[in-house]
PDB file of all heavy atoms in Angstrom:
ATOM      1  N   LEU A 749     -69.256 -88.405  38.219  1.00 93.00           N
ATOM      2  CA  LEU A 749     -69.995 -89.215  37.257  1.00 93.00           C
ATOM      3  C   LEU A 749     -69.517 -90.658  37.217  1.00 93.00           C
ATOM      4  O   LEU A 749     -70.246 -91.543  36.798  1.00 93.00           O
ATOM      5  CB  LEU A 749     -69.884 -88.604  35.853  1.00 93.00           C
ATOM      6  CG  LEU A 749     -70.674 -87.328  35.577  1.00 93.00           C
ATOM      7  CD1 LEU A 749     -70.502 -86.910  34.130  1.00 93.00           C
ATOM      8  CD2 LEU A 749     -72.148 -87.521  35.884  1.00 93.00           C
ATOM      9  N   THR A 750     -68.270 -90.897  37.632  1.00 95.00           N
ATOM     10  CA  THR A 750     -67.710 -92.237  37.534  1.00 95.00           C
ATOM     11  C   THR A 750     -68.436 -93.203  38.466  1.00 95.00           C
ATOM     12  O   THR A 750     -68.688 -92.884  39.627  1.00 95.00           O
ATOM     13  CB  THR A 750     -66.212 -92.222  37.876  1.00 95.00           C
ATOM     14  OG1 THR A 750     -65.546 -91.260  37.052  1.00 95.00           O
ATOM     15  CG2 THR A 750     -65.591 -93.587  37.638  1.00 95.00           C
ATOM     16  N   THR A 751     -68.772 -94.367  37.931  1.00 96.00           N
ATOM     17  CA  THR A 751     -69.408 -95.418  38.725  1.00 96.00           C
ATOM     18  C   THR A 751     -68.421 -96.568  38.903  1.00 96.00           C
ATOM     19  O   THR A 751     -67.612 -96.862  38.013  1.00 96.00           O
ATOM     20  CB  THR A 751     -70.687 -95.919  38.053  1.00 96.00           C
ATOM     21  OG1 THR A 751     -70.397 -96.292  36.688  1.00 96.00           O
ATOM     22  CG2 THR A 751     -71.752 -94.843  38.046  1.00 96.00           C
ATOM     23  N   TYR A 752     -68.496 -97.219  40.060  1.00 97.00           N
ATOM     24  CA  TYR A 752     -67.546 -98.272  40.413  1.00 97.00           C
ATOM     25  C   TYR A 752     -68.295 -99.519  40.882  1.00 97.00           C
ATOM     26  O   TYR A 752     -69.354 -99.420  41.509  1.00 97.00           O
ATOM     27  CB  TYR A 752     -66.625 -97.818  41.552  1.00 97.00           C
ATOM     28  CG  TYR A 752     -65.839 -96.560  41.275  1.00 97.00           C
ATOM     29  CD1 TYR A 752     -66.382 -95.302  41.543  1.00 97.00           C
ATOM     30  CD2 TYR A 752     -64.543 -96.620  40.764  1.00 97.00           C
ATOM     31  CE1 TYR A 752     -65.665 -94.144  41.302  1.00 97.00           C
ATOM     32  CE2 TYR A 752     -63.806 -95.465  40.528  1.00 97.00           C
ATOM     33  CZ  TYR A 752     -64.375 -94.233  40.793  1.00 97.00           C
ATOM     34  OH  TYR A 752     -63.659 -93.073  40.559  1.00 97.00           O
ATOM     35  N   GLU A 753     -67.720-100.685  40.593  1.00 96.00           N
ATOM     36  CA  GLU A 753     -68.210-101.951  41.127  1.00 96.00           C
ATOM     37  C   GLU A 753     -67.002-102.786  41.538  1.00 96.00           C
ATOM     38  O   GLU A 753     -66.143-103.093  40.710  1.00 96.00           O
ATOM     39  CB  GLU A 753     -69.045-102.717  40.091  1.00 96.00           C
ATOM     40  CG  GLU A 753     -70.424-102.145  39.837  1.00 96.00           C
ATOM     41  CD  GLU A 753     -71.238-103.016  38.904  1.00 96.00           C
ATOM     42  OE1 GLU A 753     -70.651-103.938  38.288  1.00 96.00           O
ATOM     43  OE2 GLU A 753     -72.453-102.774  38.774  1.00 96.00           O
ATOM     44  N   TRP A 754     -66.949-103.125  42.821  1.00 97.00           N
ATOM     45  CA  TRP A 754     -65.862-103.964  43.328  1.00 97.00           C
ATOM     46  C   TRP A 754     -66.338-105.414  43.438  1.00 97.00           C
ATOM     47  O   TRP A 754     -67.446-105.678  43.912  1.00 97.00           O
ATOM     48  CB  TRP A 754     -65.406-103.473  44.707  1.00 97.00           C
ATOM     49  CG  TRP A 754     -64.529-102.248  44.653  1.00 97.00           C
ATOM     50  CD1 TRP A 754     -64.929-100.954  44.760  1.00 97.00           C
ATOM     51  CD2 TRP A 754     -63.116-102.225  44.486  1.00 97.00           C
ATOM     52  NE1 TRP A 754     -63.844-100.100  44.670  1.00 97.00           N
ATOM     53  CE2 TRP A 754     -62.714-100.867  44.507  1.00 97.00           C
ATOM     54  CE3 TRP A 754     -62.134-103.207  44.331  1.00 97.00           C
ATOM     55  CZ2 TRP A 754     -61.382-100.472  44.372  1.00 97.00           C
ATOM     56  CZ3 TRP A 754     -60.807-102.817  44.193  1.00 97.00           C
ATOM     57  CH2 TRP A 754     -60.438-101.475  44.209  1.00 97.00           C
ATOM     58  N   TYR A 755     -65.471-106.334  42.985  1.00 97.00           N
ATOM     59  CA  TYR A 755     -65.756-107.763  43.034  1.00 97.00           C
ATOM     60  C   TYR A 755     -64.663-108.480  43.834  1.00 97.00           C
ATOM     61  O   TYR A 755     -63.493-108.085  43.803  1.00 97.00           O
ATOM     62  CB  TYR A 755     -65.798-108.373  41.631  1.00 97.00           C
ATOM     63  CG  TYR A 755     -66.988-107.966  40.801  1.00 97.00           C
ATOM     64  CD1 TYR A 755     -67.008-106.743  40.140  1.00 97.00           C
ATOM     65  CD2 TYR A 755     -68.078-108.823  40.660  1.00 97.00           C
ATOM     66  CE1 TYR A 755     -68.098-106.363  39.371  1.00 97.00           C
ATOM     67  CE2 TYR A 755     -69.175-108.454  39.884  1.00 97.00           C
ATOM     68  CZ  TYR A 755     -69.173-107.224  39.246  1.00 97.00           C
ATOM     69  OH  TYR A 755     -70.249-106.857  38.486  1.00 97.00           O
ATOM     70  N   LYS A 756     -65.074-109.513  44.516  1.00 95.00           N
ATOM     71  CA  LYS A 756     -64.122-110.424  45.154  1.00 95.00           C
ATOM     72  C   LYS A 756     -64.385-111.826  44.628  1.00 95.00           C
ATOM     73  O   LYS A 756     -65.499-112.349  44.759  1.00 95.00           O
ATOM     74  CB  LYS A 756     -64.256-110.407  46.670  1.00 95.00           C
ATOM     75  CG  LYS A 756     -63.373-111.440  47.381  1.00 95.00           C
ATOM     76  CD  LYS A 756     -63.632-111.459  48.872  1.00 95.00           C
ATOM     77  CE  LYS A 756     -62.833-112.565  49.546  1.00 95.00           C
ATOM     78  NZ  LYS A 756     -63.322-113.900  49.195  1.00 95.00           N
ATOM     79  N   ASP A 757     -63.377-112.403  44.018  1.00 94.00           N
ATOM     80  CA  ASP A 757     -63.513-113.747  43.439  1.00 94.00           C
ATOM     81  C   ASP A 757     -64.727-113.844  42.531  1.00 94.00           C
ATOM     82  O   ASP A 757     -65.474-114.832  42.534  1.00 94.00           O
ATOM     83  CB  ASP A 757     -63.595-114.802  44.548  1.00 94.00           C
ATOM     84  CG  ASP A 757     -62.317-114.874  45.382  1.00 94.00           C
ATOM     85  OD1 ASP A 757     -61.248-114.544  44.831  1.00 94.00           O
ATOM     86  OD2 ASP A 757     -62.403-115.242  46.564  1.00 94.00           O
ATOM     87  N   GLY A 758     -64.972-112.780  41.771  1.00 93.00           N
ATOM     88  CA  GLY A 758     -66.070-112.783  40.807  1.00 93.00           C
ATOM     89  C   GLY A 758     -67.423-112.449  41.362  1.00 93.00           C
ATOM     90  O   GLY A 758     -68.397-112.416  40.609  1.00 93.00           O
ATOM     91  N   VAL A 759     -67.506-112.175  42.666  1.00 94.00           N
ATOM     92  CA  VAL A 759     -68.798-111.880  43.287  1.00 94.00           C
ATOM     93  C   VAL A 759     -68.858-110.387  43.620  1.00 94.00           C
ATOM     94  O   VAL A 759     -67.932-109.845  44.248  1.00 94.00           O
ATOM     95  CB  VAL A 759     -68.995-112.711  44.574  1.00 94.00           C
ATOM     96  CG1 VAL A 759     -70.321-112.360  45.243  1.00 94.00           C
ATOM     97  CG2 VAL A 759     -68.936-114.202  44.241  1.00 94.00           C
ATOM     98  N   LEU A 760     -69.953-109.742  43.210  1.00 96.00           N
ATOM     99  CA  LEU A 760     -70.124-108.312  43.465  1.00 96.00           C
ATOM    100  C   LEU A 760     -70.234-108.055  44.958  1.00 96.00           C
ATOM    101  O   LEU A 760     -71.025-108.697  45.662  1.00 96.00           O
ATOM    102  CB  LEU A 760     -71.377-107.800  42.755  1.00 96.00           C
ATOM    103  CG  LEU A 760     -71.710-106.315  42.946  1.00 96.00           C
ATOM    104  CD1 LEU A 760     -70.652-105.436  42.285  1.00 96.00           C
ATOM    105  CD2 LEU A 760     -73.089-106.011  42.339  1.00 96.00           C
ATOM    106  N   LEU A 761     -69.456-107.100  45.460  1.00 96.00           N
ATOM    107  CA  LEU A 761     -69.481-106.755  46.877  1.00 96.00           C
ATOM    108  C   LEU A 761     -70.567-105.724  47.166  1.00 96.00           C
ATOM    109  O   LEU A 761     -70.916-104.931  46.301  1.00 96.00           O
ATOM    110  CB  LEU A 761     -68.122-106.197  47.312  1.00 96.00           C
ATOM    111  CG  LEU A 761     -66.939-107.176  47.285  1.00 96.00           C
ATOM    112  CD1 LEU A 761     -65.641-106.448  47.613  1.00 96.00           C
ATOM    113  CD2 LEU A 761     -67.172-108.326  48.256  1.00 96.00           C
ATOM    114  N   ASN A 762     -71.053-105.741  48.396  1.00 95.00           N
ATOM    115  CA  ASN A 762     -72.007-104.749  48.877  1.00 95.00           C
ATOM    116  C   ASN A 762     -71.544-104.255  50.238  1.00 95.00           C
ATOM    117  O   ASN A 762     -70.904-104.984  51.007  1.00 95.00           O
ATOM    118  CB  ASN A 762     -73.413-105.347  48.996  1.00 95.00           C
ATOM    119  CG  ASN A 762     -74.006-105.712  47.644  1.00 95.00           C
ATOM    120  OD1 ASN A 762     -74.257-104.846  46.825  1.00 95.00           O
ATOM    121  ND2 ASN A 762     -74.218-107.003  47.421  1.00 95.00           N
ATOM    122  N   ASP A 763     -71.900-103.019  50.541  1.00 95.00           N
ATOM    123  CA  ASP A 763     -71.517-102.451  51.825  1.00 95.00           C
ATOM    124  C   ASP A 763     -72.232-103.166  52.966  1.00 95.00           C
ATOM    125  O   ASP A 763     -73.386-103.591  52.839  1.00 95.00           O
ATOM    126  CB  ASP A 763     -71.859-100.958  51.877  1.00 95.00           C
ATOM    127  CG  ASP A 763     -70.844-100.110  51.135  1.00 95.00           C
ATOM    128  OD1 ASP A 763     -69.972-100.686  50.452  1.00 95.00           O
ATOM    129  OD2 ASP A 763     -70.919 -98.871  51.237  1.00 95.00           O
ATOM    130  N   ASN A 764     -71.534-103.304  54.074  1.00 94.00           N
ATOM    131  CA  ASN A 764     -72.135-103.808  55.305  1.00 94.00           C
ATOM    132  C   ASN A 764     -71.412-103.173  56.479  1.00 94.00           C
ATOM    133  O   ASN A 764     -70.769-102.129  56.312  1.00 94.00           O
ATOM    134  CB  ASN A 764     -72.086-105.337  55.356  1.00 94.00           C
ATOM    135  CG  ASN A 764     -70.677-105.887  55.185  1.00 94.00           C
ATOM    136  OD1 ASN A 764     -69.707-105.282  55.657  1.00 94.00           O
ATOM    137  ND2 ASN A 764     -70.561-107.023  54.515  1.00 94.00           N
ATOM    138  N   GLU A 765     -71.504-103.768  57.676  1.00 93.00           N
ATOM    139  CA  GLU A 765     -70.892-103.135  58.838  1.00 93.00           C
ATOM    140  C   GLU A 765     -69.370-103.103  58.734  1.00 93.00           C
ATOM    141  O   GLU A 765     -68.705-102.301  59.388  1.00 93.00           O
ATOM    142  CB  GLU A 765     -71.316-103.852  60.125  1.00 93.00           C
ATOM    143  CG  GLU A 765     -70.872-105.296  60.243  1.00 93.00           C
ATOM    144  CD  GLU A 765     -71.793-106.262  59.481  1.00 93.00           C
ATOM    145  OE1 GLU A 765     -72.782-105.769  58.882  1.00 93.00           O
ATOM    146  OE2 GLU A 765     -71.517-107.470  59.492  1.00 93.00           O
ATOM    147  N   ARG A 766     -68.778-103.986  57.928  1.00 94.00           N
ATOM    148  CA  ARG A 766     -67.308-103.988  57.775  1.00 94.00           C
ATOM    149  C   ARG A 766     -66.830-103.415  56.453  1.00 94.00           C
ATOM    150  O   ARG A 766     -65.747-102.842  56.371  1.00 94.00           O
ATOM    151  CB  ARG A 766     -66.768-105.433  57.887  1.00 94.00           C
ATOM    152  CG  ARG A 766     -66.856-106.056  59.253  1.00 94.00           C
ATOM    153  CD  ARG A 766     -65.971-107.310  59.333  1.00 94.00           C
ATOM    154  NE  ARG A 766     -66.182-108.222  58.215  1.00 94.00           N
ATOM    155  CZ  ARG A 766     -65.242-108.505  57.307  1.00 94.00           C
ATOM    156  NH1 ARG A 766     -64.048-107.957  57.377  1.00 94.00           N
ATOM    157  NH2 ARG A 766     -65.513-109.357  56.336  1.00 94.00           N
ATOM    158  N   ILE A 767     -67.635-103.575  55.413  1.00 96.00           N
ATOM    159  CA  ILE A 767     -67.215-103.173  54.068  1.00 96.00           C
ATOM    160  C   ILE A 767     -67.843-101.835  53.724  1.00 96.00           C
ATOM    161  O   ILE A 767     -69.058-101.663  53.797  1.00 96.00           O
ATOM    162  CB  ILE A 767     -67.621-104.234  53.024  1.00 96.00           C
ATOM    163  CG1 ILE A 767     -66.933-105.569  53.331  1.00 96.00           C
ATOM    164  CG2 ILE A 767     -67.269-103.757  51.620  1.00 96.00           C
ATOM    165  CD1 ILE A 767     -67.361-106.705  52.421  1.00 96.00           C
ATOM    166  N   LYS A 768     -67.021-100.882  53.339  1.00 96.00           N
ATOM    167  CA  LYS A 768     -67.484 -99.549  52.948  1.00 96.00           C
ATOM    168  C   LYS A 768     -66.840 -99.176  51.616  1.00 96.00           C
ATOM    169  O   LYS A 768     -65.648 -99.380  51.415  1.00 96.00           O
ATOM    170  CB  LYS A 768     -67.115 -98.502  54.002  1.00 96.00           C
ATOM    171  CG  LYS A 768     -67.658 -98.787  55.407  1.00 96.00           C
ATOM    172  CD  LYS A 768     -69.165 -98.721  55.452  1.00 96.00           C
ATOM    173  CE  LYS A 768     -69.695 -98.849  56.875  1.00 96.00           C
ATOM    174  NZ  LYS A 768     -69.447-100.184  57.455  1.00 96.00           N
ATOM    175  N   GLY A 769     -67.643 -98.605  50.734  1.00 96.00           N
ATOM    176  CA  GLY A 769     -67.099 -98.117  49.467  1.00 96.00           C
ATOM    177  C   GLY A 769     -67.130 -99.108  48.339  1.00 96.00           C
ATOM    178  O   GLY A 769     -66.376 -98.974  47.370  1.00 96.00           O
ATOM    179  N   SER A 770     -68.028-100.095  48.406  1.00 96.00           N
ATOM    180  CA  SER A 770     -68.084-101.106  47.340  1.00 96.00           C
ATOM    181  C   SER A 770     -68.529-100.525  46.007  1.00 96.00           C
ATOM    182  O   SER A 770     -68.318-101.139  44.965  1.00 96.00           O
ATOM    183  CB  SER A 770     -69.024-102.239  47.744  1.00 96.00           C
ATOM    184  OG  SER A 770     -70.338-101.758  47.964  1.00 96.00           O
ATOM    185  N   SER A 771     -69.137 -99.329  46.037  1.00 96.00           N
ATOM    186  CA  SER A 771     -69.545 -98.670  44.787  1.00 96.00           C
ATOM    187  C   SER A 771     -68.832 -97.327  44.626  1.00 96.00           C
ATOM    188  O   SER A 771     -69.339 -96.437  43.960  1.00 96.00           O
ATOM    189  CB  SER A 771     -71.065 -98.463  44.763  1.00 96.00           C
ATOM    190  OG  SER A 771     -71.479 -97.664  45.860  1.00 96.00           O
ATOM    191  N   LYS A 772     -67.633 -97.221  45.236  1.00 97.00           N
ATOM    192  CA  LYS A 772     -66.863 -95.994  45.144  1.00 97.00           C
ATOM    193  C   LYS A 772     -65.435 -96.306  44.725  1.00 97.00           C
ATOM    194  O   LYS A 772     -65.049 -97.472  44.607  1.00 97.00           O
ATOM    195  CB  LYS A 772     -66.881 -95.252  46.481  1.00 97.00           C
ATOM    196  CG  LYS A 772     -68.269 -94.798  46.903  1.00 97.00           C
ATOM    197  CD  LYS A 772     -68.218 -94.048  48.234  1.00 97.00           C
ATOM    198  CE  LYS A 772     -69.608 -93.589  48.640  1.00 97.00           C
ATOM    199  NZ  LYS A 772     -69.601 -92.875  49.945  1.00 97.00           N
ATOM    200  N   ARG A 773     -64.664 -95.247  44.516  1.00 97.00           N
ATOM    201  CA  ARG A 773     -63.281 -95.432  44.096  1.00 97.00           C
ATOM    202  C   ARG A 773     -62.496 -96.256  45.126  1.00 97.00           C
ATOM    203  O   ARG A 773     -61.672 -97.099  44.776  1.00 97.00           O
ATOM    204  CB  ARG A 773     -62.592 -94.076  43.947  1.00 97.00           C
ATOM    205  CG  ARG A 773     -61.102 -94.169  43.636  1.00 97.00           C
ATOM    206  CD  ARG A 773     -60.331 -92.971  44.171  1.00 97.00           C
ATOM    207  NE  ARG A 773     -60.792 -91.732  43.631  1.00 97.00           N
ATOM    208  CZ  ARG A 773     -60.396 -91.216  42.473  1.00 97.00           C
ATOM    209  NH1 ARG A 773     -59.510 -91.870  41.752  1.00 97.00           N
ATOM    210  NH2 ARG A 773     -60.863 -90.069  42.050  1.00 97.00           N
ATOM    211  N   THR A 774     -62.747 -95.999  46.419  1.00 97.00           N
ATOM    212  CA  THR A 774     -61.964 -96.604  47.480  1.00 97.00           C
ATOM    213  C   THR A 774     -62.789 -97.629  48.248  1.00 97.00           C
ATOM    214  O   THR A 774     -63.879 -97.319  48.729  1.00 97.00           O
ATOM    215  CB  THR A 774     -61.462 -95.526  48.455  1.00 97.00           C
ATOM    216  OG1 THR A 774     -60.739 -94.537  47.723  1.00 97.00           O
ATOM    217  CG2 THR A 774     -60.546 -96.130  49.511  1.00 97.00           C
ATOM    218  N   LEU A 775     -62.257 -98.846  48.348  1.00 97.00           N
ATOM    219  CA  LEU A 775     -62.891 -99.923  49.094  1.00 97.00           C
ATOM    220  C   LEU A 775     -62.154-100.096  50.417  1.00 97.00           C
ATOM    221  O   LEU A 775     -60.934-100.314  50.438  1.00 97.00           O
ATOM    222  CB  LEU A 775     -62.838-101.221  48.290  1.00 97.00           C
ATOM    223  CG  LEU A 775     -63.390-102.473  48.979  1.00 97.00           C
ATOM    224  CD1 LEU A 775     -64.894-102.389  49.126  1.00 97.00           C
ATOM    225  CD2 LEU A 775     -62.992-103.734  48.205  1.00 97.00           C
ATOM    226  N   ASN A 776     -62.877 -99.963  51.523  1.00 97.00           N
ATOM    227  CA  ASN A 776     -62.306-100.151  52.850  1.00 97.00           C
ATOM    228  C   ASN A 776     -62.960-101.357  53.510  1.00 97.00           C
ATOM    229  O   ASN A 776     -64.192-101.456  53.546  1.00 97.00           O
ATOM    230  CB  ASN A 776     -62.532 -98.915  53.723  1.00 97.00           C
ATOM    231  CG  ASN A 776     -61.638 -97.757  53.316  1.00 97.00           C
ATOM    232  OD1 ASN A 776     -60.421 -97.825  53.427  1.00 97.00           O
ATOM    233  ND2 ASN A 776     -62.255 -96.684  52.831  1.00 97.00           N
TER     234      ASN A 776
END
Side-chain angles (χ1 to χ4, degrees):
L749 287 183
T750 306
T751 53
Y752 303 87
E753 286 185 348
W754 282 94
Y755 290 81
K756 175 185 175 291
D757 296 332
V759 178
L760 179 67
L761 294 175
N762 293 295
D763 281 8
N764 55 36
E765 63 278 359
R766 291 195 311 115
I767 298 175
K768 302 294 186 293
S770 60
S771 59
K772 297 181 180 179
R773 175 209 301 275
T774 305
L775 176 70
N776 287 295

